[in-house]
Amino acid sequence: MASFLSDNEDLQYYLQDGIDWETVASVTELGYRFADGFRTAAEALTFYREIAAMVGEFVAEEIAPHAAQIDRDGVRFANGEATFPPRLEAITRKIAELGLHGLNLPRELGGMNAPMLLYFINAELLARADVSVMTHYGFHSGTAMAMLVLSLLEGTTVHDPATGLITRTRWPAEMAEIASGVAWGSMDITEPDAGSDMAALRAVGTQEADGRWTLTGQKIFITSGHGKYHFVVARTEKGSGPDDPQAGLGGLSMFMVRAFRDEADGRRTRLATLDRIEEKLGHHGSATVAITFDRTPAELVGKRGEGFRQMLEIMNHARLGVGFESIGLCEAALRLAKGYAAERRSMGKTIDRHEMIADYLDEMESDIVNLRALAMHGAFHEEMAHKKALFGKFLGGARDTEIRAHRQAARRTMPLLKYLAAEKAVEMARRCLQIHGGNGYMHEFGAEKLLRDALVMPIYEGTSQIQSLMAMKDTLTGILRAPQEFVKRMAQTRWRSLSARDGLERRVARLQLLSLAAQQHLVTRTMAAKVKTVQGQPLGTWRKALFNQWNPKRDFAYAMLHAERLTRLLADEAIAEVLLAQARRHPQRRELLERHLERAEPRVKFLHDEITSTGQRLLDLLAGGTSASSGAEKAAG
Ligand SMILES: Cc1cc2nc3c(=O)[nH]c(=O)nc-3n(C[C@H](O)[C@H](O)[C@H](O)COP(=O)(O)OP(=O)(O)OC[C@H]3O[C@@H](n4cnc5c(N)ncnc54)[C@H](O)[C@@H]3O)c2cc1C
């Protein structure tokens, strides 16, 4: 029987030794305290591996062979509702029968209490078969988990202190409905005039005279928005003026909204109108909708003004999900390309023997291993950070420093992973098509579908540019907050680059040094620009302005220009660090680090040089109020 797990050695490494599963299992089982839970790590691990093996076979046998048909049939819009083709309906039913919609929910809420890491491994497997099926699946369990996490955060989920079981939570019936597969939901943020710029959102939440909330506004591009349960971000606070945080992100709140009610007689009463199913380039097995709320009853989640922060909590999981989804697609692209290149002959040999094509395939192989290492690292720390913070009291009191370290590792990894995995998905799908030559352009071979599906990865769940801004801001504000730490880190890294006994460790340290030098350059340029802004102001105000009053939008122009280059560089550095840690534990992984360094070293030098030597001309144009393109036109004229 075909399996997308048993044919994938690198993925199997993570299911065996590559992840500290003992810790994951112990934390997930709250120290093995549940009467109906596992007694030991071994028991839990056997179960996790069985699930992954089952999913590996299911996706290879029952989804991948139908991906082209799902793509052709797509989701349709009829009588104000979305309709799915029979094949997709059957797959969704099977996923429900396998119990996968409740994979991560606690057992007392109808789930299997499996770790999120297992969900992400399954997500990669599903995405290799078809990304749109994976997305549709993700909005079942993802919505149920969002219900649980948001309820935990607002304090409406209560545990029995003795057993650790949940005795009360805010949406138990809804979670059970989702776990059984009959309902699912969505995360509604984007509007016609506000996507990346969330501060511009216009949908409003209004508290009516009787104290209840309603929601009004239109949301577009909503994945699985044909579902019942919607987490909607909307404005509840106006703010006193443009500088009041409440006029921006601080004025957003989170709502849980039911889009319809199914009546006992089988009719459906819609509480929000499905305007259309978006007609899109790819992802045809996933419904993307426009939906209008018109004084639709809504439940406020948490407190007013917390919407942006709550969204970030959920978004981290969603971004990890896109990371694993992209890896699944990359794996599909590599295998399709490799298979074709091994068969197709040109100029006396198969095309995989031609140097340029061999180089493409070699780089794709190495990139997938690198991305998976980064993704697993991020997923592990994200899960630990959340679970140790939420359930610390059942785990013998997790220490704050430990939770902070997990949180920082996850936060550092997330934008790098989302950025690089999404960009690589597009690159690999494009290469796969190119390797197919003219055949790649035809529907029949499946390469063009991969490219159409891949192109959305750098757009949704925060575009590549937004990920880059996040990575850059986090890096630079970290340095500005603790410059002495940065200087110390540089000195230590320089020392390791010269004196580490292991040659690979020296090479990783040299890579880190280049990264630190690029960061230092960005900070120095940013500081210099800031000093210019305070010149002419009373000296007494300088200290506050230089050390406390940072406005990333105003002060980071040079760094913003180079944010994507910095992100690419930081990703290479983070991958090298993760692979080095793996190589120390498992020497057979050394070769993977060497392969990464072979390509990363010259790339990082190049990125460092670009960051430290280009950009001023364009910034001068922008400062003069001229856009880059009109500047170029003038120059040409
Ligand atoms: C198939 C699909 C499914 C989706 N699913 C959902 C969903 O479930 N829920 C949901 O709420 N939304 C969803 N979206 C919407 C998606 O999240 C947005 O399209 C995305 O956030 C970008 O917003 P936008 O389209 O308004 O582009 P804009 O924000 O207008 O951006 C346009 C371009 O400008 C760049 N840009 C914007 N600001 C900056 C800046 N400060 N610096 C540099 N570059 C910048 C962007 O990176 C982008 O390249 C989906 C979109 C698609 C295509």
Side-chain angles (χ1 to χ4, degrees):
M1 187 180 264
S3 161
F4 283 0
L5 178 63
S6 61
D7 71 355
N8 189 329
E9 220 179 283
D10 192 54
L11 197 47
Q12 285 179 59
Y13 163 75
Y14 290 101
L15 268 165
Q16 297 300 329
D17 313 312
I19 288 172
D20 178 2
W21 285 108
E22 299 228 342
T23 301
V24 173
S26 159
V27 169
T28 304
E29 292 294 318
L30 300 194
Y32 305 105
R33 66 179 58 236
F34 301 123
D36 59 350
F38 302 114
R39 301 263 67 86
T40 61
E43 250 180 62
L45 301 196
T46 305
F47 174 73
Y48 302 160
R49 286 167 191 151
E50 277 170 9
I51 296 274
M54 176 188 80
V55 172
E57 287 176 6
F58 165 60
V59 299
E61 292 282 334
E62 297 186 44
I63 300 180
H66 307 296
Q69 191 197 334
I70 292 168
D71 180 50
R72 272 194 306 276
D73 294 348
V75 184
R76 299 274 175 260
F77 189 52
N79 305 320
E81 295 291 344
T83 59
F84 275 57
R87 174 67 66 188
L88 203 52
E89 290 281 13
I91 290 173
T92 311
R93 263 197 312 276
K94 184 72 190 276
I95 292 177
E97 278 163 31
L98 296 175
L100 293 176
H101 292 314
L103 183 74
N104 309 106
L105 282 178
R107 295 181 188 87
E108 62 273 25
L109 296 175
M112 296 190 200
N113 199 43
M116 287 306 296
L117 260 159
L118 185 62
Y119 166 81
F120 289 124
I121 289 173
N122 289 344
E124 182 193 324
L125 291 167
L126 271 151
R128 182 176 147 194
D130 186 278
V131 282
S132 62
V133 174
M134 180 250 146
T135 306
H136 184 44
Y137 160 65
F139 277 82
H140 286 76
S141 53
T143 304
M145 287 309 289
M147 286 175 172
L148 182 59
V149 170
L150 290 173
S151 170
L152 278 160
L153 287 174
E154 68 173 11
T156 49
T157 291
V158 178
H159 287 87
D160 178 333
T163 61
L165 293 172
I166 292 173
T167 51
R168 187 159 56 83
T169 188
R170 186 161 172 186
W171 297 287
E174 291 79 355
M175 283 188 246
E177 221 181 325
I178 292 173
S180 72
V182 297
W184 57 90
S186 58
M187 183 80 202
D188 306 12
I189 302 167
T190 308
E191 297 176 5
D193 293 315
S196 308
D197 185 6
M198 280 184 63
L201 290 179
R202 286 192 191 155
V204 286
T206 311
Q207 194 161 25
E208 305 288 344
D210 62 2
R212 280 184 268 192
W213 288 89
T214 59
L215 204 115
T216 299
Q218 193 195 29
K219 298 285 179 181
I220 60 167
F221 306 163
I222 304 304
T223 306
S224 294
H226 60 308
K228 188 170 186 181
Y229 300 111
H230 293 236
F231 280 106
V232 186
V233 180
R235 179 158 298 285
T236 52
E237 324 302 316
K238 287 204 181 83
S240 52
D243 286 337
D244 182 348
Q246 292 210 329
L249 298 172
L252 301 175
S253 300
M254 178 74 77
F255 294 92
M256 211 287 275
V257 186
R258 285 165 178 75
F260 55 80
R261 201 171 48 232
D262 282 324
E263 311 291 355
D265 61 5
R267 278 180 311 113
R268 172 167 293 182
T269 307
R270 274 221 154 258
L271 307 169
T273 311
L274 217 53
D275 302 321
R276 59 178 183 270
I277 304 286
E278 310 284 6
E279 290 191 15
K280 53 192 196 289
L281 188 63
H283 268 245
H284 289 161
S286 150
T288 309
V289 317
I291 186 165
T292 296
F293 302 93
D294 184 7
R295 297 193 68 193
T296 305
E299 296 176 35
L300 179 69
V301 183
K303 295 199 185 78
R304 297 167 72 134
E306 286 183 342
F308 181 67
R309 196 179 59 75
Q310 290 162 318
M311 185 221 63
L312 289 182
E313 291 285 342
I314 302 174
M315 200 69 128
N316 267 350
H317 275 95
R319 286 179 180 159
L320 266 172
V322 179
F324 280 91
E325 179 183 11
S326 300
I327 296 170
L329 192 142
C330 289
E331 192 72 57
L334 169 67
R335 285 165 191 266
L336 192 62
K338 245 176 135 175
Y340 186 83
E343 297 275 317
R344 176 79 174 176
R345 294 184 72 80
S346 154
M347 302 180 197
K349 51 187 176 185
T350 54
I351 56 172
D352 59 357
R353 309 295 300 165
H354 289 294
E355 290 76 5
M356 270 183 281
I357 305 295
D359 188 39
Y360 281 170
L361 293 169
D362 178 78
E363 187 174 21
M364 286 161 83
E365 233 171 56
S366 174
D367 278 342
I368 290 175
V369 166
N370 297 345
L371 287 171
R372 195 176 283 120
L374 193 62
M376 296 289 178
H377 173 78
F380 173 79
H381 286 292
E382 176 70 7
E383 179 147 25
M384 288 301 107
H386 261 278
K387 288 192 168 159
K388 291 201 169 186
L390 290 171
F391 309 125
K393 56 180 184 280
F394 298 107
L395 299 166
R399 277 176 295 135
D400 282 352
T401 47
E402 193 190 348
I403 296 170
R404 210 174 310 124
H406 285 305
R407 200 169 277 151
Q408 273 171 359
R411 189 179 166 125
R412 177 187 173 211
T413 311
M414 227 55 82
L416 306 183
L417 172 70
K418 165 68 177 61
Y419 169 80
L420 191 60
E423 293 293 330
K424 284 287 169 188
V426 176
E427 182 186 294
M428 287 194 211
R430 154 100 172 74
R431 281 187 178 179
C432 172
L433 190 152
Q434 187 70 13
I435 287 170
H436 279 73
N439 280 333
Y441 204 64
M442 308 300 152
H443 284 308
E444 190 187 338
F445 286 78
E448 59 81 43
K449 172 189 182 292
L450 289 180
L451 185 56
R452 284 187 286 109
D453 282 348
L455 281 165
V456 77
M457 309 290 173
I459 295 175
Y460 63 13
E461 303 297 358
T463 64
S464 284
Q465 291 68 38
I466 297 302
Q467 303 308 310
S468 301
L469 290 179
M470 282 169 58
M472 179 277 289
K473 278 182 208 161
D474 260 13
T475 307
L476 297 205
T477 46
I479 299 171
L480 289 167
R481 239 180 254 131
Q484 313 85 328
E485 274 301 308
F486 182 73
V487 173
K488 200 163 93 190
R489 193 145 56 93
M490 253 190 141
Q492 286 168 342
T493 310
R494 188 164 293 118
W495 175 246
R496 265 189 299 113
S497 74
L498 299 169
S499 65
R501 254 201 250 141
D502 182 351
L504 278 180
E505 191 172 338
R506 284 200 300 278
R507 286 173 69 186
V508 172
R510 282 200 291 274
L511 203 78
Q512 290 168 318
L513 264 186
L514 275 168
S515 164
L516 291 170
Q519 292 170 40
Q520 188 182 31
H521 183 83
L522 291 176
V523 168
T524 312
R525 290 290 301 256
T526 306
M527 281 299 274
K530 181 78 174 170
V531 168
K532 270 195 200 154
T533 67
V534 294
Q535 279 166 356
Q537 291 180 29
L539 211 56
T541 63
W542 279 38
R543 192 182 152 74
K544 199 168 167 208
L546 289 180
F547 292 99
N548 299 334
Q549 291 174 345
W550 280 94
N551 178 344
K553 278 195 188 144
R554 215 175 36 223
D555 300 325
F556 283 24
Y558 187 80
M560 285 200 270
L561 180 75
H562 288 298
E564 185 166 358
R565 293 184 187 96
L566 179 71
T567 302
R568 183 69 185 88
L569 193 160
L570 293 172
D572 270 336
E573 180 191 14
I575 289 165
E577 289 169 10
V578 175
L579 289 178
L580 180 65
Q582 287 183 2
R584 285 193 186 122
R585 292 196 309 274
H586 306 114
Q588 77 273 19
R589 306 284 290 179
R590 284 179 70 85
E591 187 209 331
L592 302 175
L593 174 58
E594 275 173 29
R595 258 176 99 171
H596 170 56
L597 289 174
E598 182 190 328
R599 291 182 190 272
E601 283 166 341
R603 183 168 47 233
V604 164
K605 275 194 201 113
F606 176 75
L607 289 164
H608 165 272
D609 288 355
E610 269 195 308
I611 290 172
T612 52
S613 65
T614 67
Q616 195 54 52
R617 180 190 56 80
L618 186 53
L619 285 178
D620 290 344
L621 279 176
L622 290 171
T626 317
S627 80
S629 48
S630 54
E633 275 159 26
K634 265 193 215 149

